[in-house]
Amino acid sequence: MDLSTTLGRLHLKNPIMVASGTFGYAREMEGIVDVPRLGAVLPKTITAEPRIGNAPWRTVETTAGLLNAIGLDNDGVDTFLEHHLPYLRGLGTSVIVSVAGRTEDDFVQLAARVGSQAGVSAIELNLSCPNVSGGIDFGTNAESCRSVVAATRAATEVPILAKLTPNVTRIADIAKAAADGGADAVCLINTVLGIAVDWRKRKPMLGNGMGGLSGPAIKPIALRCVHQVASAVDIPIIGIGGIATVDDVMQFLVTGASAVQIGTANYYDPTVSTRLIDELPAALQEIGASSIADCVGTLAR
């Protein structure tokens, strides 16, 4: 079985990645997960300056998922390049660095600095974080999305992935703008905006008020977004949202994703990603496919 997959100019040994923000800087997982087997690692999103994130509570479990309002807590780009990247580039798998900025220039400067470093396979533009001021501005306006993608595309030679929010009216329009700006692929989806309420105290449970919902509850939404975008753009799609089993992976692949990212499942089953890699060949064989490419986008329309 050929488990390799291609995302524009980015080639991965298999389609299983770990989503940014759910795997730390990978050091935290090295004693549990056979990291070199993964298609790619995405360490937590970095910003120009260190961020302490939002006030607690930062996470709340829901009936079928997890609400989070971490607020992009991270060490900043300087510490990332000096301390974390040397470790990451020695892991034996692709490293995709997620970046976020308040302005277009922030994204450009981060992409230029990170993209010039050895060991960086691609850059994911986090255009869709609902937990910080201005976090989703570039992901909710098509022209803003096209502009920031084009500007970062001009600032670095490494592949650019645009991570988009589902909290829009027509996500296909935003994805097309990212493609027009030069994105190598789009990542669908980031979390769905939600709220948890303590009715006895009559106040939100998250310190930030609202947060991003992830986990099984959002998988049908994510699949719908992949389905809609696959019909609107010619660039590859990376599926994200509620993926925990090989059935979930296959659903995203046949719907139109060429790869997937595992997020919330990492919290309760840190070895889920390598198990999915083990189970993929049998799933492909079941539908008569001999490669990932054989099943991508084969959903009856």
Side-chain angles (χ1 to χ4, degrees):
M1 289 291 176
D2 179 9
L3 297 186
S4 66
T5 190
T6 300
L7 304 169
R9 294 173 297 132
L10 177 63
H11 303 283
L12 304 180
K13 54 190 163 190
N14 65 67
I16 307 298
M17 300 182 265
V18 287
S20 175
T22 68
F23 210 70
Y25 293 105
R27 276 190 178 90
E28 299 89 330
M29 310 296 278
E30 68 176 348
I32 305 171
V33 181
D34 189 1
V35 177
R37 295 192 60 207
L38 301 175
V41 167
L42 285 88
K44 64 190 306 173
T45 298
I46 58 169
T47 52
E49 303 295 332
R51 288 181 58 93
I52 61 172
N54 293 325
W57 288 3
R58 293 184 175 191
T59 60
V60 174
E61 288 189 50
T62 65
T63 304
L66 180 72
L67 272 172
N68 92 83
I70 304 299
L72 296 184
D73 178 352
N74 75 100
D75 295 337
V77 66
D78 290 336
T79 298
F80 176 81
L81 295 180
E82 179 180 341
H83 179 64
H84 297 299
L85 185 56
Y87 168 80
L88 289 163
R89 66 165 63 105
L91 288 176
T93 191
S94 297
V95 176
I96 301 172
V97 181
S98 174
V99 303
R102 293 184 180 275
T103 67
E104 182 175 297
D105 189 58
D106 283 346
F107 278 101
V108 170
Q109 296 300 321
L110 284 165
R113 289 193 64 188
V114 172
S116 66
Q117 304 295 312
V120 174
S121 301
I123 293 173
E124 181 183 77
L125 305 180
N126 187 347
L127 307 174
S128 48
C129 178
N131 306 316
V132 296
S133 177
I136 63 171
D137 289 353
F138 295 103
T140 55
N141 180 278
E143 176 51 32
S144 295
C145 179
R146 186 208 62 77
S147 180
V148 72
V149 170
T152 53
R153 169 75 287 142
T156 181
E157 295 182 356
V158 301
I160 294 290
L161 317 178
K163 187 172 184 179
L164 304 182
T165 176
N167 304 305
V168 295
T169 303
R170 285 177 53 85
I171 195 169
D173 293 345
I174 310 298
K176 187 175 186 307
D180 291 344
D184 290 82
V186 288
C187 305
L188 309 173
I189 55 177
N190 209 323
T191 54
V192 178
L193 195 61
I195 188 171
V197 172
D198 184 329
W199 65 268
R200 292 181 174 86
K201 295 180 180 178
R202 287 177 282 185
K203 61 186 297 186
M205 296 178 71
L206 289 170
N208 194 53
M210 291 186 288
L213 178 66
S214 62
I218 75 166
K219 190 183 80 171
I221 299 171
L223 284 168
R224 182 264 299 174
C225 290
V226 170
H227 178 65
Q228 291 176 322
V229 170
S231 301
V233 303
D234 293 327
I235 62 174
I237 297 169
I238 299 165
I240 316 166
I243 301 170
T245 70
V246 73
D247 291 326
D248 298 331
V249 174
M250 294 300 295
Q251 288 168 18
F252 274 91
L253 293 178
V254 300
T255 302
S258 296
V260 297
Q261 292 180 13
I262 314 302
T264 301
N266 289 317
Y267 294 127
Y268 60 85
D269 183 3
T271 62
V272 60
S273 297
T274 50
R275 187 182 73 247
L276 294 178
I277 296 168
D278 290 336
E279 294 175 355
L280 262 177
L284 292 174
Q285 186 176 32
E286 188 174 337
I287 60 172
S290 59
S291 69
I292 297 299
D294 285 346
C295 61
V296 172
T298 56
L299 183 70
R301 298 185 182 275

